[in-house]
Amino acid sequence: MKIAVLPGDGIGPEIVAQAAKVLGALRSDGLKIELEYAHIGGAGYDAAGDPLPDATLKLAQDSDAVLLGAVGGYQYDTLARPLRPEQGLLRIRKALGLFANLRPAMVYPELVDASSLKPELVSGLDIMILRELTGDIYFGQPRGIRTLENGERQGFDTMLYSESEIRRIAHVGFQIAMKRAGKNGQAKVCSVDKANVLDTSILWREIVGDVAKRYPAVALSHMYVDNAAMQLIRAPKQFDVILTGNIFGDILSDEASMLTGSIGMLPSASLDANNKGLYEPCHGSAPDIAGKDIANPLATILSVAMMMRYTFAREDIAQRIETAVRSTLQQGLRTGDIAEAGKQRIGTEAMGDAVVQAL
Ligand code: IPM
Ligand code: MG
């Protein structure tokens, strides 16, 4: 297993270090794991003047999987857009063809009180947001800021989805729903769009409906994104797999993370057509708490579990890691973001060590 490790910026290096400890422990148990590090985001800009240095992309291309921390920092906010840390992330997703972004949101029984919603609304919650990651208004051309004849400036972006892009992400959605049905009962996909307003969404809805015919065991529903945003707060357990485009998925996945109590718990996988993947926590680089040993490393550690599951097809190891995380929570160990007021908190390093202990 050759894994490219891209710690990135802010809390990235410290949380990735904890995930690397877990990989190190698995290696001592005999798993053939090889880690190679490279820069991305602001760290890429500092090292090579580019948020995605050529050497980093090459390493990622030559590896079986990529583990990424987070990108972004205040010091880069004034750079020209192509040099910003986020561009490193967007470019690596596009260059590796990582069109399928899996963002599971589940509520651990131990953390049910950390959610801002009432426990009965979220307890047992286990949903999967499947976000298309290489299309949509994120990458559509033309885009820019132009000056109109009257001298006023105008910003513009283009929302685009081609039929083949919709088809391939829809297939992934139905297949995930079928796999999940084993533990949750009926296989369900809710496709989220804005077909009452956007032409892109009208095509999205039509194609998703067409792909659905190949999966008669899956119940497909459609929902407008504004309603979905509301339903996620009103009754989140009605969902199983949410299938949606790049920008709606960006927004809804942040919303869903809060159902679970902390964005510090949410892993993600971004996969290409052959299950090669990039694995990263859903949260950002949190520069305000970087270097203080208080960030929660569990989302990154859980991203390694997803890597074992999806890229390396080692469900056994994935579950071993997830069980170790559960066990640290059961022991009452908490970083600040998931600790109840007045209860003891541990640091990033200590949390990483605790997971390794529990493996
Ligand atoms: C995410 C992030 C990124 C995105 C940013 C950092 C470019 O918000 O992974 O959700 O918008 O995709
Ligand atoms: Mg986001």
Side-chain angles (χ1 to χ4, degrees), residues 93 103 131 138 249-251 253-254 282:
R93 288 172 178 170
R103 298 191 164 185
R131 168 189 178 194
Y138 268 61
D250 178 46
I251 299 165
S253 61
D254 265 30
C282 282

Side-chain angles (χ1 to χ4, degrees), residues 129 192 225 228-229 232 242 244 248-257:
I129 297 191
V192 171
V225 61
L232 265 175
I242 293 179
T244 191
F248 299 153
D250 178 46
I251 299 165
L252 294 180
S253 61
D254 265 30
E255 189 188 1
S257 76

Side-chain angles (χ1 to χ4, degrees), residues 150-352:
N150 67 6
E152 193 191 5
R153 287 192 307 155
Q154 183 181 58
F156 60 104
D157 294 272
T158 307
M159 181 175 265
L160 286 180
Y161 264 122
S162 60
E163 202 174 320
S164 57
E165 287 175 310
I166 303 169
R167 225 171 255 291
R168 67 178 180 177
I169 192 72
H171 276 290
V172 175
F174 290 111
Q175 281 159 18
I176 290 176
M178 305 236 317
K179 275 202 204 119
R180 289 169 57 88
K183 60 177 181 186
N184 304 342
Q186 166 74 51
K188 288 195 293 188
V189 169
C190 178
S191 171
V192 171
D193 62 34
K194 188 70 184 169
N196 51 344
V197 177
L198 302 173
D199 284 319
T200 316
S201 285
I202 293 176
L203 184 68
W204 176 280
R205 194 174 276 224
E206 181 193 318
I207 302 300
V208 171
D210 191 43
V211 174
K213 294 182 195 141
R214 308 257 296 265
Y215 301 89
V218 184
L220 170 66
S221 60
H222 300 277
M223 200 180 274
Y224 298 138
V225 61
D226 49 348
N227 185 25
M230 181 184 74
Q231 296 296 338
L232 265 175
I233 300 297
R234 194 188 71 85
K237 284 189 264 184
Q238 70 185 283
F239 296 107
D240 188 47
V241 174
I242 293 179
L243 165 65
T244 191
N246 205 345
I247 187 132
F248 299 153
D250 178 46
I251 299 165
L252 294 180
S253 61
D254 265 30
E255 189 188 1
S257 76
M258 264 301 118
L259 305 173
T260 72
S262 172
I263 198 167
M265 295 296 300
L266 288 202
S268 79
S270 305
L271 305 178
D272 75 0
N274 305 308
N275 286 336
K276 173 167 174 172
L278 180 148
Y279 298 83
E280 59 176 324
C282 282
H283 60 70
S285 58
D288 52 323
I289 62 164
K292 296 186 177 158
D293 192 42
I294 55 178
N296 184 348
L298 294 180
T300 315
I301 292 172
L302 290 166
S303 299
V304 173
M306 291 188 87
M307 178 190 291
M308 293 298 154
R309 171 170 297 127
Y310 292 104
T311 291
F312 297 117
R314 290 295 303 261
E315 179 64 29
D316 56 327
I317 304 174
Q319 287 190 15
R320 192 171 152 203
I321 298 170
E322 287 164 352
T323 305
V325 168
R326 276 294 297 278
S327 136
T328 61
L329 295 175
Q330 276 158 4
Q331 292 165 46
L333 301 174
R334 303 280 187 273
T335 43
D337 57 312
I338 50 175
E340 286 172 58
K343 292 267 173 67
Q344 203 204 327
R345 318 164 162 219
I346 63 169
T348 310
E349 287 276 350
M351 188 58 112

